[in-house]
Amino acid sequence: MEIALIGMPNSGKTTLLHAMTRGRFESNKSGLQTGVVKAPDSRLQALAGMFSPEKIVPAEVTYWDLAAPSEVPSGGTGGGGISGQIVNQLQKADALVHVVRAFEDDSVPYHQPTIDPIRDADSMEAELIFSDLGILERRRQRVDSNLKGARAQERSAHLREISFIEKLQKALEDETPVSRMELSGEEQAMATGYNMLTGKRVLTVFNVGEDVPETAEEGGSFDHRPGALCTSICAKLEQELGQLSVEDEQEFRQSMGLSESGLERVVGLSHKLLDMASFFTVGPDEVRAWTIPQNIAAVKAASKIHSDIERGFIRAEVIGYEQLMSCGSLNQAKKQGVLRLEGKGYPVQDGDVITFLFNV
């Protein structure tokens, strides 16, 4: 998964990236900062305890920190503040994490006289809508150009697309993001092809002050986009804790009554946002977590490991994580008859422990 962090200037998105990566990230010449985060998963550690492997490999999520809009409109009506270069980068992301400032700190200047998370969330959505209108305008220009020299049988297809573009433009001008539009299956496929920003799933992270409890609440009256989630995190505190040793960090969190880190929450919600699941491969050499779409066919899950396994797929030996932990070992699972043999079309479930049998 590759997920872009967005937010208004001084919202704390860069601080959040630093916290999640413990300061280990890369920057390119254009200012894009990229960090690869190893997804925390207690199941992986438990499986490692069972198999004592030489190597433990968690799943990974890549987060990007992109520049904030250069010109932020005070009314939140969309001022074209997202540059074309940033729009192109955002289009490559699987989803967006929108960091919204919800903390008061006079030492950190802000573009508005007051802190208002709801206003800023709406303002960023307006910026994304404005960018989408630009995407549609460029698409319309290409279709118009193709229409001029089109054959009779091609004209109807071009005219249908023009009508659809006008429908999208009207909805966006009425401040309706693509994700909230009522589209048919064919229209949804066409919209996906345009790769518009308001069609992407969004995790909204309220960056709160140290005196405000972090929460993992999902949804909210401000953000009624289908598939949208939200949470609150103190990015500054998370960054400070990330500088401690693992033992000291755990002790502090326990004293504060924090059951999970901000990293665990953001990564977990990122998986949920994109309907992703994890399966595990185990053995004395390696215990590894693999990220896949929910219910993907076993043969496609095998391709995550290697294309040869997909090509030579015979069957998969499968057991759920909870079942395996109850049995205590794979050998005991076989004796109890709970280790299943599944074919190519088996929909892989979150937590499945799989051994792929193949021949090439």
Side-chain angles (χ1 to χ4, degrees), residues 215-242:
T215 68
E217 295 179 359
E218 300 166 14
S221 59
F222 78 97
D223 198 346
H224 45 284
R225 299 170 60 147
L229 303 174
C230 79
T231 188
S232 64
I233 286 174
C234 179
K236 180 181 178 182
L237 177 61
E238 293 292 341
Q239 183 180 25
E240 292 172 351
L241 291 177

Side-chain angles (χ1 to χ4, degrees), residues 23 40 72 74 78 88 91 97-98 101 114 131 135 148 152 197 209 212 235 253 264 271 290-291 300 309 317 355:
V72 182
S74 59
N88 292 338
Q91 286 183 300
V97 170
H98 180 197
R101 179 165 175 170
T114 60
S131 295
I135 292 172
K148 292 178 182 178
L197 304 185
V212 178
R253 290 190 187 281
E264 292 173 314
H271 277 79
W290 304 86
T291 302
K300 291 300 181 183
I309 303 178
E317 293 183 343
T355 300

Side-chain angles (χ1 to χ4, degrees), residues 149-337:
R151 299 176 181 177
Q153 61 267 35
E154 296 173 337
R155 290 183 61 83
S156 59
H158 291 318
L159 291 173
R160 284 198 305 272
E161 184 172 6
I162 289 173
S163 177
F164 179 57
I165 290 173
E166 291 175 346
K167 174 181 177 178
L168 294 179
Q169 289 174 323
K170 175 64 168 59
L172 288 170
E173 289 166 356
D174 290 339
E175 301 182 357
T176 302
V178 174
S179 62
R180 295 206 290 269
M181 295 181 191
E182 295 184 2
L183 303 176
S184 67
E186 181 181 358
E187 289 176 332
Q188 185 63 55
M190 291 178 65
T192 300
Y194 298 156
N195 200 7
M196 290 183 288
L197 304 185
T198 62
K200 294 184 181 295
R201 297 188 179 187
V202 179
L203 166 62
T204 302
V205 176
F206 290 108
N207 186 14
V208 299
E210 295 185 48
D211 57 339
V212 178
E214 295 184 351
T215 68
E217 295 179 359
E218 300 166 14
S221 59
F222 78 97
D223 198 346
H224 45 284
R225 299 170 60 147
L229 303 174
C230 79
T231 188
S232 64
I233 286 174
C234 179
K236 180 181 178 182
L237 177 61
E238 293 292 341
Q239 183 180 25
E240 292 172 351
L241 291 177
Q243 297 172 359
L244 302 176
S245 67
V246 174
E247 294 76 14
D248 289 344
E249 180 183 354
Q250 290 177 343
E251 182 179 346
F252 182 85
R253 290 190 187 281
Q254 290 174 357
S255 69
M256 295 290 291
L258 301 174
S259 59
E260 62 178 354
S261 68
L263 165 63
E264 292 173 314
R265 194 176 316 130
V266 172
V267 172
L269 288 174
S270 296
H271 277 79
K272 184 173 182 178
L273 188 71
L274 290 170
D275 295 326
M276 304 300 280
S278 295
F279 75 90
F280 305 96
T281 52
V282 296
D285 296 332
E286 177 185 274
V287 169
R288 181 188 289 255
W290 304 86
T291 302
I292 53 169
Q294 291 274 8
N295 298 314
I296 193 174
V299 67
K300 291 300 181 183
S303 70
K304 291 285 291 183
I305 302 173
H306 200 283
S307 59
D308 284 350
I309 303 178
E310 178 186 19
R311 188 170 68 253
F313 185 100
I314 299 174
R315 60 183 179 273
E317 293 183 343
V318 182
I319 184 172
Y321 167 79
E322 296 292 347
Q323 278 187 311
L324 178 57
M325 298 308 294
S326 297
C327 293
S329 70
L330 280 176
N331 286 335
Q332 191 61 32
K334 291 178 181 178
K335 291 179 181 178
Q336 295 183 20

